[in-house]
Amino acid sequence: MDDVRIETIQDRVGQVVTLRGWLAARRSSGKIHFLQVRDGTGVIQCVMVRSQVSDDEFQAADHCPQESSVEVGGTVRADPRSPIGYEVDVTSFRVVHESEPYPITPKEHGTAFLMEHRHLWIRSRRQHAILRVRASLIKAIRDYFDSHGFLLVDTPILTPAACEGTTTLFELGYFGDRAFLTQSGQLYNEATAAAFGKVYCFGPTFRAEKSKTRRHLTEFWMVEPEMAFCDFEQNMAVAEDFLVSIVARVLDERRRELEVLERDTRPLEAVRKPFPRLHYEEAVRLLHENGSDLQSGDDFGGDDETILTRLFDRPIMVHRFPAAVKAFYMKRDPDDPRYALGVDVLAPEGYGEVIGGGQREDDLETLRAAIRAHGLPEEAFRWYVDLRRYGSFPHSGFGLGVERTLAWICGLPHVRETIPFPRMLEKIWP
Ligand code: 4AD
Ligand code: MG
C-alpha cells in the first residue's frame, strides 16, 4: 500500500497520489466541487473540475454525504491560499461507503450530545488535535525516563490491596475471593526499585471517584518513577526537571495542534526552573490571604489549588502536608513529624495538582504502625513491609496524571476531552 498521508503531503508535490479517507465537508459551484478530505493525519481540499473526471464520478461527489469514506486520486499542488499550503487536483473519485446522515454537523452541539457520540466526536478538529497532543505527551514522558536511566517495569492492574485509600477502590470478584483495580503502581515500584534502582511504570489506574469534578476520571493514566537512594529534595528536583522537559517537548512538536485549540502558549513557555517551593503552612497562609476558608490541617480542595496557582506564573511545589491527611506510606519529616515528606506539584492558570509524590517510610516498625493506624489489613501488605526487612533503603518517587497534565497543556476546562473514551461517575458509554 502506497502510504500517502496528508501530514506529509509536501513530499508529493507534482505527483499523482491516492488518498483514502472521509469526506469532512463539501461545497460546489456548478462545474467545480471542493471536497475537504480527512485521512486521520489532516484535512486537505481536493478540487474536482467537471471536465477532468467522468460524469459518474462528478455526480457521485455531488451527492456524497458528510463522513462517507472515499478514495480520491489526483495531483498534489502547492497553494498559498490553503491553510496547509497544498491542494489536490482530482482525477479520480470513488465512494467506498456512503455514510448515513452524520449526527455531528457543523452547527453547535451541547457537550452531553457530543459525549454520547464520543466514538464519532473524536473525528472532529479539536478532539483530533487534543488526542495528537496526548500521543506526543506520552512519548515525551517515556523518552524522558528512558533517557535518564530509568527502567520501565510494569506493575499489575489486579491487586489485593489499596494504595491510595480505601474509599476509591473498585472491587471485583476474583475466583471466590476479591481483588481491586489498581489505584497506583507505587507499592510495586518500590519492590522493583530495590531490584533495578531507578524504575517507572506507566499505565491505567482506577479510582471510584464519587464526585463530579472537572479534574476527576475513574480511569486515568499515570506515570510513576521510583528511585532508590533518593531523598525528598532530590525527588522534587527530578519532578521539576521532568515537567519542564515534557512541556517543552510538546510545545516543540505540537505547535499546529495547539493553534487549532487556540491555546495561548506563553504561559507554557514560562514553565522554567526553578518552581517556587512552599511549605504547606506557607501555602495555607497565602490561601487565607486570598479568600480561602481552608481549615489549617486539611488537605487542599480543587478551589484552593485554583486560588493558589493563580498567584504564580509557573508550576509550584507544595511540600510537607500534614501527615494525617496523606497516605500511610509517606515518611514523616524528621524535623517535625506532624508533617509528611510529600509534595504536590500544582500547574498554573488554576489547573492544580498534576503530580503527587514524596519520600517513602523505610523503617519496618514505623510503617507497620502506620498501616495499623490507617485501619488497613496488615496481611495484604505483608509483601510490602518485607521490603523494609531485606535491605531497606531511602527511596522516593512521584506520579503524574496524564489527563490533568494534558488539560493544562491544551488549556481545556475539563479532563473529559483528554482521553479517547473517558470514564467518570455515571459515564461508561460509549
Ligand atoms: O496524588 P496521587 O493520588 O498519588 C499517587 O497515586 C502516588 N501513589 C503516586 C506516586 O507517588 N507514585 O495521584 C498522582 C496524580 C495526581 O497528581 C493527578 O495528576 C492524577 O494522578 N490523578 C488523577 N487524574 C485524573 N483523575 C483522577 N481521579 C485522579 N487522581 C489522581
Ligand atoms: Mg495527590
Side-chain angles (χ1 to χ4, degrees), residues 225-245:
E226 190 71 29
M227 295 162 279
F229 303 103
C230 172
D231 69 17
F232 187 58
E233 292 297 327
Q234 292 165 328
N235 186 47
M236 286 205 282
V238 173
E240 180 185 58
D241 188 63
F242 165 66
L243 200 54
V244 167
S245 162

Side-chain angles (χ1 to χ4, degrees), residues 54-120:
S54 72
D55 283 353
D56 284 351
E57 286 171 317
F58 196 77
Q59 281 302 319
D62 196 29
H63 294 105
C64 196
Q66 181 192 350
E67 286 305 314
S68 294
S69 41
V70 296
E71 200 176 273
V72 185
T75 310
V76 180
R77 164 172 55 75
D79 190 314
R81 292 165 303 180
S82 155
I84 64 162
Y86 304 91
E87 290 191 347
V88 171
D89 289 326
V90 179
T91 51
S92 70
F93 181 78
R94 188 171 79 84
V95 177
V96 176
H97 174 254
E98 188 172 303
S99 178
E100 293 181 24
Y102 192 61
I104 303 176
T105 58
K107 74 163 200 214
E108 288 274 315
H109 295 283
T111 306
F113 177 87
L114 291 168
M115 289 290 283
E116 276 293 293
H117 293 86
R118 183 67 179 166
H119 51 301
L120 304 177

Side-chain angles (χ1 to χ4, degrees), residues 243 247 263 267-268 271 315 347-349 351 354 403-412:
L243 200 54
V247 169
R263 174 65 161 121
L268 299 176
V271 178
E349 300 173 86
Y351 278 92
V354 290
E403 291 74 18
R404 289 199 194 165
T405 307
L406 189 61
W408 163 47
I409 290 177
C410 292
L412 307 174

Side-chain angles (χ1 to χ4, degrees), residues 189-201:
N189 262 350
E190 292 182 49
T192 61
F196 303 100
K198 293 206 287 184
V199 296
Y200 75 101
C201 64

Side-chain angles (χ1 to χ4, degrees), residues 1 23 33 78 107 119 132 141 144 149 152 195 198 202 210 223 240 248 253 273 308 334 407 426:
M1 185 175 136
L23 189 63
H33 297 316
K107 74 163 200 214
H119 51 301
R132 279 163 66 98
I141 290 169
Y144 182 88
L152 173 69
K198 293 206 287 184
F202 195 177
K210 285 155 201 109
V223 64
E240 180 185 58
E253 283 182 11
K273 291 195 256 188
L308 206 53
E426 296 166 11

Side-chain angles (χ1 to χ4, degrees), residues 141-257:
I141 290 169
R142 288 198 180 287
D143 286 349
Y144 182 88
F145 291 119
D146 290 344
S147 65
H148 283 78
F150 289 76
L151 189 76
L152 173 69
V153 188
D154 303 313
T155 52
I157 295 205
L158 295 171
T159 62
C163 176
E164 294 299 325
T166 48
T167 57
T168 62
L169 278 176
F170 277 115
E171 186 179 327
L172 60 150
Y174 197 75
F175 307 112
D177 210 338
R178 61 181 193 159
F180 309 99
L181 294 178
T182 182
Q183 297 170 309
S184 158
Q186 179 196 318
L187 305 185
Y188 294 94
N189 262 350
E190 292 182 49
T192 61
F196 303 100
K198 293 206 287 184
V199 296
Y200 75 101
C201 64
F202 195 177
T205 46
F206 306 86
R207 308 233 178 139
E209 302 280 1
K210 285 155 201 109
S211 58
K212 286 192 198 173
T213 82
R214 61 194 183 86
R215 295 176 183 169
H216 288 93
L217 295 164
T218 54
E219 177 178 323
F220 62 97
W221 283 66
M222 179 155 56
V223 64
E224 298 179 85
E226 190 71 29
M227 295 162 279
F229 303 103
C230 172
D231 69 17
F232 187 58
E233 292 297 327
Q234 292 165 328
N235 186 47
M236 286 205 282
V238 173
E240 180 185 58
D241 188 63
F242 165 66
L243 200 54
V244 167
S245 162
I246 59 176
V247 169
R249 178 75 187 271
V250 171
L251 267 176
D252 190 44
E253 283 182 11
R254 292 296 179 198
R255 285 259 167 215
R256 188 177 285 173
E257 284 76 7

